[in-house]
């Protein structure tokens, strides 16, 4: 019996088979990159380059502009051709630097620090490296990592949970990292463990990636961290779900994992931390799963941020006949979009192309309660939704709308096809704008 979170959850088809066995390939450098200044939660970065500037790979081009904000670096050697406004799949717009890339690219981050030198770095020095490198949570939330890692003195981290659950259907980038980047992950986890004061550290994954995770553990040996194989159940990779599954603790409403002594770090983020600490490499590229029946040859690609989605699809043989919807991320929490020039961002874990999308008919609520039974946050989705639709957002807030993780379990379970998550997003937006 594998551990799992206590309440709710669903079992959608995993659909990992399209890309699970495809080794990570590097996307050839696109001729033009459009690097957005807003790739993290919080304030967008402030552009520090202008049209005509020559930039080198890893150079700072956007400076963090607030406490919750992240630096942006050039993913390539090239020239800034234009400053434009881009709209990202989530619907937000921001400034972006359009960089024409050089044919020849340098390799400026090839000199590696040895383990002994890394071991001498203090917690403050490690957090400063993470901040300088513009690392954000790569599991989707894009929260600036240095803010999460800057734990105040006196606050004890009891558990460090490395999140390799990848519970979103279709996505396989973390699964490939488990197979192909073992040494980097092991060292990245050790760095994180020392940064957080040597807490009990677990590599957490779902049962459908057990073999891949065990392979990594065989290389890691015993001692520095343990393996937790959790039940394959969505949303196992949600921070609050993973904490509940591993520690039995519940993060109270409005509180953070740290309030119950836990820090959760995505697997891809651990790799980014390794690269930043050992090589001084900023966060300017990531592995993206390009998958679904609507793409000819699904792959896992190492892509520079700013690469147009079109370039990834072209490298995967283009769209298959009948391709009808493109989603950034997975089918549960992703965003559909139409513009193939949309750039890859630091938290873009996947590009999913569906071949047929059945027209969803909406029927009246039959008060069956399935939505509430599926909700891992123990909310009452049907009530929240009705309040929002009746312009009673503050009543929805009173029954904890802001705790909604937008995981989609309720909507997935609803026999009436009610677009619950869309309603919750709208309710939150109204509430934030009122605030
Ligand atoms: S989307 Fe929100 S309300 Fe629906 S199941 Fe997830 S957390 Fe609960
Ligand atoms: S699952 Fe759908 S039909 Fe059933 S109570 Fe919830 S909103 Fe109503």
């Amino acid at each position: 019996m594998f551990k799992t979170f206590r309440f709710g959850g669903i079992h959608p088809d995993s659909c990992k088979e399209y890309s699970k066995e495809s080794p990570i390939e590097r996307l050839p450098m696109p001729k033009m990159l459009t690097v957005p200044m807003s790739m993290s939660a919080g304030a967008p970065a402030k552009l520090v380059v202008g049209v005509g500037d020559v930039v080198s790979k890893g150079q700072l081009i956007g400076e963090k502009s607030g406490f919750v904000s992240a630096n942006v670096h050039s993913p390539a050697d090239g020239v800034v051709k234009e400053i434009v406004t881009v709209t990202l799949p989530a619907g937000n717009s921001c400034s972006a630097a359009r960089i024409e890339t050089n044919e020849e690219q340098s390799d400026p981050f090839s000199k590696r620090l040895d383990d002994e030198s890394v071991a001498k770095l203090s917690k403050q020095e490690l957090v400063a490296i993470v901040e300088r490198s513009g690392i954000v949570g790569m599991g989707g939330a894009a929260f600036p990592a240095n803010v999460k890692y800057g734990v105040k003195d006196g606050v004890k981290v009891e558990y460090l949970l490395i999140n390799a659950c990848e519970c979103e259907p279709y996505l396989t980038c973390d699964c490939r990292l488990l197979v192909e980047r073992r040494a980097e992950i092991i060292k990245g986890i050790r760095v994180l463990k020392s940064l957080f004061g040597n807490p009990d550290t677990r590599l957490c994954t779902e049962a459908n990636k057990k073999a891949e995770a065990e392979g990594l553990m065989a290389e890691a040996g015993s001692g520095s961290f343990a393996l937790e194989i959790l039940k394959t159940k969505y949303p196992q990779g949600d921070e609050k779900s993973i904490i509940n599954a591993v520690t039995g603790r519940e993060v109270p409403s409005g509180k953070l994992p740290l309030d119950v002594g836990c820090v959760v770090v995505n697997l891809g983020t651990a790799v980014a931390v390794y690269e930043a600490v050992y090589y001084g490499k900023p966060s300017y590229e990531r592995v993206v799963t390009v998958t679904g029946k609507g793409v000819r040859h699904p792959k896992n690609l190492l892509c520079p941020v700013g690469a147009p989605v079109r370039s990834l699809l072209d490298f995967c043989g283009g769209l298959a006949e009948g391709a009808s919807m493109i989603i950034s991320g997975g089918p549960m929490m992703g965003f559909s979009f139409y513009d193939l020039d949309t750039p890859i961002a630091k938290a873009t874990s996947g590009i999913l192309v569906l071949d047929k999308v059945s027209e969803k008919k909406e029927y009246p609520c039959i008060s069956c309660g399935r939505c509430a039974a599926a909700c891992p946050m123990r909310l009452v989705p049907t009530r929240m939704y009705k309040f929002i639709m009746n312009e009673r957002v503050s009543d929805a807030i009173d029954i904890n709308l802001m705790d909604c993780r937008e995981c989609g379990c309720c909507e997935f379970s609803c026999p009436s096809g009610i677009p619950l998550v869309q309603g919750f997003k709208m309710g939150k937006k109204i509430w934030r704008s009122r605030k």
Side-chain angles (χ1 to χ4, degrees):
M1 252 316 247
F2 299 115
K3 288 184 191 171
T4 188
F5 51 96
R6 209 173 310 159
F7 299 101
I10 54 171
H11 298 275
D13 285 345
S14 83
C15 301
K16 307 274 186 191
E17 64 278 7
Y18 294 104
S19 55
K20 192 178 173 189
E21 302 302 330
S22 300
I24 299 167
E25 293 175 63
R26 183 177 278 282
L27 178 77
M29 183 61 80
K31 195 78 206 110
M32 191 69 84
L33 300 173
T34 304
V35 186
M37 291 298 111
S38 183
M39 289 192 278
S40 70
K46 185 173 156 277
L47 263 166
V48 292
V49 290
V51 174
D53 285 354
V54 172
V55 290
S56 53
K57 192 184 282 179
Q59 179 184 329
L60 184 77
I61 59 170
E63 201 168 9
K64 65 187 287 247
S65 65
F67 179 62
V68 181
S69 181
N71 286 338
V72 175
H73 302 80
S74 175
D77 302 314
V79 180
V80 179
K81 284 295 192 190
E82 235 185 321
I83 303 299
V84 295
T85 301
V86 283
T87 302
L88 301 172
N92 55 319
S93 298
C94 67
S95 304
R98 284 191 38 89
I99 298 172
E100 187 177 67
T101 61
N102 295 350
E103 233 158 77
E104 290 288 314
Q105 290 290 323
S106 63
D107 184 13
F109 304 107
S110 53
K111 208 165 157 248
R112 187 177 173 282
L113 272 188
D114 55 60
D115 291 339
E116 216 173 289
S117 309
V118 170
K120 285 186 191 141
L121 294 169
S122 66
K123 177 190 156 182
Q124 286 72 17
E125 286 169 321
L126 290 170
V127 174
I129 292 171
V130 168
E131 179 172 5
R132 219 167 36 236
S133 308
I135 297 173
V136 305
M138 292 168 96
F143 196 76
N146 61 292
V147 179
K148 193 188 233 185
Y149 301 176
V151 178
K152 288 195 186 107
D153 289 341
V155 177
K156 188 168 164 54
V157 176
E158 292 170 72
Y159 288 97
L160 168 61
L161 307 179
I162 304 299
N163 187 354
C165 288
E166 200 164 53
C167 61
E168 266 277 359
Y170 288 95
L171 303 184
T172 55
C173 48
D174 286 352
C175 180
R176 289 315 306 176
L177 290 176
L178 281 175
V179 175
E180 298 180 50
R181 308 287 294 272
R182 287 178 177 162
E184 292 96 319
I185 292 169
I186 293 164
K187 285 190 190 295
I189 294 176
R190 286 182 182 146
V191 167
L192 287 161
K193 186 174 173 178
S194 87
L195 191 158
F196 289 114
N198 291 313
D200 182 341
T201 302
R202 316 272 177 97
L203 172 66
C204 310
T205 193
E206 288 187 330
N208 60 3
K209 290 171 282 293
K210 185 169 179 276
E212 290 83 356
E214 283 176 348
L216 184 143
M217 292 308 290
E219 266 181 46
S222 57
S224 42
F225 57 93
L227 178 62
E228 283 282 1
I229 302 291
L230 306 172
K231 190 170 176 178
T232 303
K233 182 167 87 164
Y234 180 85
Q236 189 64 79
D238 174 80
E239 276 196 344
K240 293 188 178 183
S241 300
I242 206 171
I243 289 169
N244 184 245
V246 176
T247 70
R249 297 177 184 185
E250 275 195 51
V251 182
S253 172
K255 298 286 181 186
L256 296 169
L258 201 52
D259 293 310
V260 295
C262 299
V263 171
V264 182
V265 176
N266 169 264
L267 189 76
T269 317
V271 174
V273 167
Y274 162 79
E275 292 178 336
V277 171
Y278 277 83
Y279 288 95
K281 180 182 162 192
S283 174
Y284 58 71
E285 60 185 10
R286 66 155 299 141
V287 181
V288 179
T289 303
V290 185
T291 183
K293 274 192 181 163
V295 62
R296 281 187 205 280
H297 306 297
K299 290 177 189 288
N300 295 289
L301 300 178
L302 180 60
C303 308
V305 298
V309 166
R310 183 189 304 282
S311 64
L312 280 70
L313 293 172
D314 287 348
F315 192 67
C316 294
L319 295 175
E321 208 174 310
S324 64
M325 184 189 262
I326 305 184
I327 295 172
S328 172
M332 297 302 299
M333 294 190 71
F335 300 92
S336 65
F337 65 99
Y338 301 96
D339 183 358
L340 294 185
D341 289 322
T342 300
I344 295 299
K346 291 179 187 179
T348 310
S349 46
I351 299 297
L352 167 62
V353 188
L354 299 175
D355 66 333
K356 55 173 183 284
V357 184
S358 50
E359 187 104 331
K360 246 188 161 184
K361 272 202 176 157
E362 189 183 332
Y363 298 96
C365 173
I366 53 168
S367 301
C368 64
R370 289 189 204 170
C371 53
C375 179
M377 296 305 295
R378 284 192 282 171
L379 304 174
V380 188
T382 178
R383 282 190 72 206
M384 295 196 308
Y385 187 77
K386 282 175 190 163
F387 280 142
I388 295 163
M389 290 301 121
N390 288 310
E391 297 180 16
R392 292 169 60 188
V393 173
S394 58
D395 288 329
I397 294 290
D398 287 346
I399 56 169
N400 299 328
L401 172 64
M402 297 315 272
D403 282 347
C404 168
R405 314 287 291 170
E406 298 172 18
C407 65
C409 291
C410 52
E411 193 171 312
F412 181 88
S413 310
C414 176
S416 293
I418 298 171
L420 296 162
V421 179
Q422 201 181 310
F424 303 148
K425 284 181 182 169
M426 186 176 79
K428 287 181 187 179
K429 209 169 167 190
I430 293 170
W431 185 249
R432 287 194 188 108
S433 65
R434 275 190 204 161
K435 285 273 202 175

